[in-house]
Amino acid sequence: MTVKNICCIGAGYVGGPTMAVIALKNPTIAVNVVDINPERIAAWQTDELPIYEPGLLDVVKEARGRNLFFSTNIEKGIREADIIFISVNTPTKTYGIGKGRAADLRFVELCARQIAEVSTSNKIVVEKSTLPVRTAQAINTILSETGSGVKFQVLSNPEFLAEGTAIKDLFAPDRVLIGGDQTPEGLEAIEALTSVYASWVPRERIIQTKLWSSELSKLTANAFLAQRISSINSISALCEATGADVDEVAYAIGTDTRIGSKFLKSSVGFGGSCFQKDILNLVYLCEFFGLPEVAAYWQQVIALNDYQKRRFAMNIIQTLFNTVSGKKIAMLGWAFKKDTNDTRESAAIYVSDYLLNDMAKVHVYDPQVPAKAMYADLDCLGTRNPEHNRELLTVVADPYEVCKDAHAITIITEWDEFKTYDWQRIYDNMMKPAFIFDGRNILDHKKLMDIGFKVKAIGKSY
Ligand code: NAD
Ligand code: UDX
């Protein structure tokens, strides 16, 4: 089968960049990215893209209007496509059965129903969203009840890109995973999707599996990555208690090729839209399938991450003489990691919430996150009313201004620009003693201490 037309439902952090790269590398395939959100679609048509991602604008500009299109006409996109990617959000359920743990699949289900309703020719439907194992079965059931004679093949093709490095990851993925039915039709569909990726990904990096293996591999990959961070963060607490240095420990263990050096950077806690959501979903699945011991094992990765965020905030309060009431605390960074404007589950939200509970005056600077997003994050927590959040939290556009007269500075995101600041100038304009709480261990602590700062950092005991 020759693929001529692709539709992607969902123009978010995954759908947008992924389809931009597929379009760039397959100039003969028309790629239509559709979404119910008109503002998002409008932004994709300008040079002010709705998401900040290094290198993305160049890719979009090259393919947009040639074979990459953004639209709110979902039905047309579906009808014309040979392959339809479902790339909509699958957040943690906030209601009913599985509340707080299971993935909310209502957006995925809506897509499946719409595909079933409007399709007039055979289609390959690809799960790009991260989904619980066996979701393809539900999608298949919806698609096979149309009575229209149209045939569908459901594939699982989870996305492994990380935000901030999405374009790099998409250009040179460690692997592309495609799961499908092991029937002749299923294998043909797998081959059709493989041909799209094979335009730029070496064939040996395209892994073909059964459907359920592919679905489960995505949750497992995220659980393993997050587990490494919680493991090193657990050791950071022990380092602070014993005088060992967490970066030295991470380096020493990471040089063992069986362990490896990546994802051992101790931090204020992992954030992002994926890790917590996907582990909670894994925990829910384990319980559902009667495996409480397995569920408890993975739940601990989340518990440790919550502990790390709380521990960091409590350390600030205790160090500042057991209260931050009325004190100005400068927060550098709000995004969940550098090189993204995404704030979902960022440690900044929880750390600031703890500080605001103790009546601190938190002033925030982030190079990419707008004030609107920060307030929305805090309002979503529901700890206090929106007016109170705006009273206590101030968003500042200049990093030197945000630190002026502060009692302490907290580093939450590892933005590179923080390392280039004139720290002597910042020190001179702060309240004394001037504290820095480095939640990312990105600054030169010795230099800061020479200037006069009192430095507290994750996994260090200065
Ligand atoms: P997102 O919220 O940025 O984007 C999802 C988009 O889908 C939104 O723009 C929303 O308006 C749209 N949408 C929802 N329902 C729709 C419908 N019925 N019709 C049309 N559009 C609809 O989410 P995201 O970060 O791109 O994540 C999408 C999926 O990919 C999730 O399952 C996530 O777990 C997974 N994933 C995310 C990442 C990541 O780094 N963000 C990485 C790998 C996998
Ligand atoms: C993650 C997975 O890496 C990616 O494969 C998947 O497709 C989506 O989820 P993402 O959440 O975008 O990607 O970013 P990632 O680089 O994994 O970072 C997640 C969080 O962990 C961030 O808050 C980051 O700062 C933190 N982190 C990461 C650490 O604290 N230490 C590390 O060593 C690595």
Side-chain angles (χ1 to χ4, degrees):
M1 172 190 170
T2 311
V3 180
K4 293 202 185 70
N5 190 301
I6 287 176
C7 171
C8 174
I9 309 179
Y13 282 88
V14 167
T18 311
M19 291 305 127
V21 170
I22 286 183
L24 182 82
K25 302 290 188 181
N26 290 280
T28 59
I29 302 178
V31 178
N32 293 296
V33 188
V34 296
D35 202 292
I36 36 169
N37 181 336
E39 286 97 50
R40 220 169 202 187
I41 289 297
W44 279 110
Q45 285 155 340
T46 70
D47 288 353
E48 297 286 315
L49 301 183
I51 64 176
Y52 174 73
E53 191 62 66
L56 176 62
L57 184 59
D58 291 340
V59 175
V60 169
K61 275 169 118 170
E62 198 170 332
R64 196 171 51 194
R66 181 188 73 183
N67 66 324
L68 175 66
F69 308 96
F70 296 93
S71 165
T72 49
N73 194 339
I74 303 174
E75 294 195 358
K76 181 166 176 284
I78 293 174
R79 253 194 308 269
E80 291 175 352
D82 309 307
I83 299 184
I84 301 163
F85 286 86
I86 299 179
S87 193
V88 299
N89 35 327
T90 51
T92 305
K93 250 184 119 176
T94 52
Y95 55 91
I97 299 173
K99 178 181 171 180
R101 287 176 311 153
D104 189 344
L105 299 182
R106 68 192 151 132
F107 305 115
V108 173
E109 189 182 325
L110 275 174
C111 291
R113 288 186 188 281
Q114 197 169 15
I115 294 169
E117 210 176 288
V118 307
S119 293
T120 50
S121 59
N122 297 349
K123 319 257 176 230
I124 297 170
V125 176
V126 183
E127 298 173 342
K128 183 53 109 179
S129 299
T130 302
L131 298 168
V133 56
R134 295 198 83 92
T135 304
Q137 200 169 29
I139 294 180
N140 237 326
T141 308
I142 293 169
L143 294 175
S144 59
E145 296 287 321
T146 60
S148 63
V150 173
K151 292 211 161 45
F152 298 96
Q153 275 301 320
V154 180
L155 300 180
S156 158
N157 171 222
E159 184 48 59
F160 294 102
L161 69 79
E163 291 178 26
T165 54
I167 296 302
K168 193 169 136 271
D169 298 341
L170 287 165
F171 275 10
D174 286 347
R175 78 313 207 176
V176 167
L177 179 58
I178 302 175
D181 277 341
Q182 303 298 297
T183 56
E185 299 78 20
L187 294 172
E188 197 191 330
I190 292 177
E191 268 316 306
L193 184 55
T194 299
S195 74
V196 172
Y197 285 106
S199 301
W200 81 98
V201 181
R203 285 246 170 192
E204 63 274 15
R205 292 208 182 174
I206 304 178
I207 304 172
Q208 303 178 338
T209 65
K210 289 190 235 172
L211 256 176
W212 316 137
S213 312
S214 174
E215 286 179 336
L216 186 55
S217 296
K218 175 63 197 177
L219 290 186
T220 308
N222 274 352
F224 270 58
L225 288 169
Q227 178 204 43
R228 284 174 68 92
I229 303 170
S230 278
S231 295
I232 197 68
N233 281 346
S234 73
I235 297 302
S236 76
L238 195 54
C239 285
E240 287 164 37
T242 58
D245 179 315
V246 76
D247 285 332
E248 291 180 351
V249 174
Y251 181 74
I253 64 166
T255 47
D256 184 328
T257 52
R258 293 169 303 174
I259 296 174
S261 60
K262 293 181 182 163
F263 267 70
L264 285 182
K265 185 72 188 157
S266 187
S267 67
V268 56
F270 60 74
S273 66
C274 293
F275 283 169
Q276 173 164 306
K277 159 177 87 72
D278 292 348
I279 295 176
L280 287 171
N281 190 204
L282 188 65
V283 168
Y284 181 72
L285 281 172
C286 293
E287 282 175 359
F288 179 82
F289 288 106
L291 304 166
E293 291 82 358
V294 187
Y297 175 75
W298 289 110
Q299 181 70 48
Q300 200 52 30
V301 174
I302 303 282
L304 202 290
N305 198 49
D306 290 340
Y307 162 75
Q308 188 75 346
K309 291 179 275 189
R310 193 170 60 243
R311 201 169 74 78
F312 184 76
M314 291 311 142
N315 191 12
I316 297 172
I317 296 170
Q318 277 158 13
T319 307
L320 292 181
F321 318 106
N322 283 319
T323 178
V324 285
S325 174
K327 293 178 185 166
K328 176 175 174 179
I329 311 290
M331 185 171 275
L332 293 180
W334 188 274
F336 82 96
K337 64 184 281 198
K338 73 171 181 178
D339 293 338
T340 180
N341 61 346
D342 196 347
T343 66
R344 289 177 285 183
E345 290 301 328
S346 176
I349 305 168
Y350 300 95
V351 171
S352 55
D353 193 50
Y354 284 122
L355 296 176
L356 296 180
N357 276 345
D358 208 71
M359 303 300 287
K361 290 184 177 148
V362 178
H363 291 232
V364 192
Y365 164 79
D366 186 289
Q368 286 296 334
V369 179
K372 201 171 113 193
M374 299 180 195
Y375 289 126
D377 287 337
L378 275 183
D379 294 347
C380 256
L381 280 186
T383 314
R384 56 196 85 68
N385 65 42
E387 293 73 41
H388 202 186
N389 282 332
R390 280 149 193 77
E391 231 169 75
L392 292 177
L393 186 110
T394 310
V395 184
V396 183
D398 177 73
Y400 292 93
E401 192 55 37
V402 87
C403 298
K404 194 166 175 282
D405 298 327
H407 290 255
I409 296 170
T410 61
I411 311 285
I412 302 289
T413 315
E414 73 279 27
W415 287 104
D416 287 331
E417 67 168 63
F418 298 164
K419 292 185 247 179
T420 66
Y421 290 172
D422 179 349
W423 285 100
Q424 180 68 58
R425 182 179 150 201
I426 290 175
Y427 176 81
D428 291 343
N429 290 317
M430 280 179 70
M431 303 295 286
K432 307 293 178 318
F435 290 93
I436 286 199
F437 296 85
D438 189 347
R440 294 289 187 165
N441 288 337
I442 54 161
L443 300 179
D444 182 338
H445 296 161
K446 183 173 177 308
K447 200 171 130 199
L448 291 174
M449 286 187 277
D450 286 347
I451 289 173
F453 280 106
K454 297 202 178 300
V455 179
K456 292 270 184 173
I458 298 281
K460 316 264 174 181
S461 55
Y462 303 125

